[in-house]
Amino acid sequence: MTSDQAKNEIALRIEKKNITSSRKNSAGSSIMKGFSFKKPNTAGSNNGGQLPEILNQILEEVAQEGSLSLVKAAVAMGADPASKMKKSKHEALAKATTAGHARVVDFLIRNGASFGEVRLKVRFTPTDYALLSATYKGHAELVSCLIASHGANPMTEQWPREIEETQHYWAETQVRLPKLSVLDGISRWNNVADGMS
């Protein structure tokens, strides 16, 4: 898909969202007609304020679909991969990661998206944990991308959360529990040779 075709597709999706939101607004105003107060007409002034929000929603959709050309077009038209709003959290990066779209994840990270803030006293970063998740889902290309291009730690490991909080108990009882790790995740792949490369 060319960049012009991708931009046209994004424009069509924007138009669909505008039509849907205008239908919701008109349905709400028809209910209000029975009351004595009037709802001001804010459709023209509010549309400019809604466009970035609509673009960010479309960015989430196309990131989940895995279309890199549509993701690039949405970003070129004003969608923000790193957008964090108070009311709604845009999760284009999380959706692309869950679906295993390595090229989309790479593009979003290079354009400012992140998996979260690095916390003090935590051994691994959010990118490391995204790597761990991608490994257990068998997304070999994404695993390679996160390690080679974005510095994810291939030695990432994690105890199951409920066990992590009670490690002292498990240490006293000498019970061996499974720990999630990148190497364990790769060993579970159907084609381990892909993972080891």
Side-chain angles (χ1 to χ4, degrees):
M1 179 180 291
T2 68
S3 63
D4 289 337
Q5 290 172 330
K7 286 182 180 178
N8 288 338
E9 174 65 24
I10 297 297
L12 286 172
R13 290 181 187 218
I14 291 170
E15 188 62 32
K16 283 182 184 177
K17 292 224 181 255
N18 281 334
I19 289 171
T20 304
S21 66
S22 67
R23 285 182 184 163
K24 287 180 183 176
N25 289 340
S26 66
S29 64
S30 65
I31 293 170
M32 301 297 279
K33 286 182 182 178
F35 296 96
S36 60
F37 55 88
K38 295 181 180 178
K39 183 178 178 183
N41 184 9
T42 57
S45 62
N46 204 11
N47 191 22
Q50 288 179 345
L51 185 59
E53 182 66 27
I54 290 171
L55 278 169
N56 288 334
Q57 290 172 1
I58 291 171
L59 177 61
E60 283 184 39
E61 292 170 8
V62 296
Q64 188 169 15
E65 293 168 12
S67 173
L68 183 59
S69 57
L70 291 178
V71 169
K72 286 181 178 180
V75 170
M77 294 174 78
D80 183 10
S83 172
K84 291 182 182 173
M85 308 285 281
K86 288 182 180 178
K87 292 182 180 178
S88 63
K89 182 179 177 186
H90 296 290
E91 299 183 354
L93 181 61
K95 289 182 178 183
T97 303
T98 300
H101 303 302
R103 293 177 20 209
V104 172
V105 169
D106 183 49
F107 178 80
L108 291 172
I109 292 174
R110 291 181 191 276
N111 283 278
S114 70
F115 290 105
E117 300 294 324
V118 177
R119 295 181 292 158
L120 297 174
K121 298 183 181 180
V122 176
R123 187 172 166 195
F124 299 108
T125 67
T127 305
D128 297 336
Y129 289 121
L131 167 68
L132 191 61
S133 175
T135 303
Y136 277 95
K137 290 180 181 172
H139 301 307
E141 187 179 354
L142 179 57
V143 168
S144 176
C145 170
L146 290 173
I147 292 172
S149 300
H150 302 290
N153 185 350
M155 301 313 286
T156 302
E157 54 189 20
Q158 179 182 27
W159 289 98
R161 183 168 292 158
E162 62 277 0
I163 295 169
E164 189 172 319
E165 295 170 358
T166 58
Q167 278 184 354
H168 66 281
Y169 170 77
W170 299 110
E172 290 173 6
T173 57
Q174 301 294 320
V175 174
R176 293 198 179 262
L177 297 166
K179 183 182 352 180
L180 303 176
S181 71
V182 173
L183 295 176
D184 177 57
I186 290 172
S187 72
R188 296 168 189 256
W189 290 358
N190 291 335
N191 188 353
V192 178
D194 284 349
M196 297 316 287
S197 67

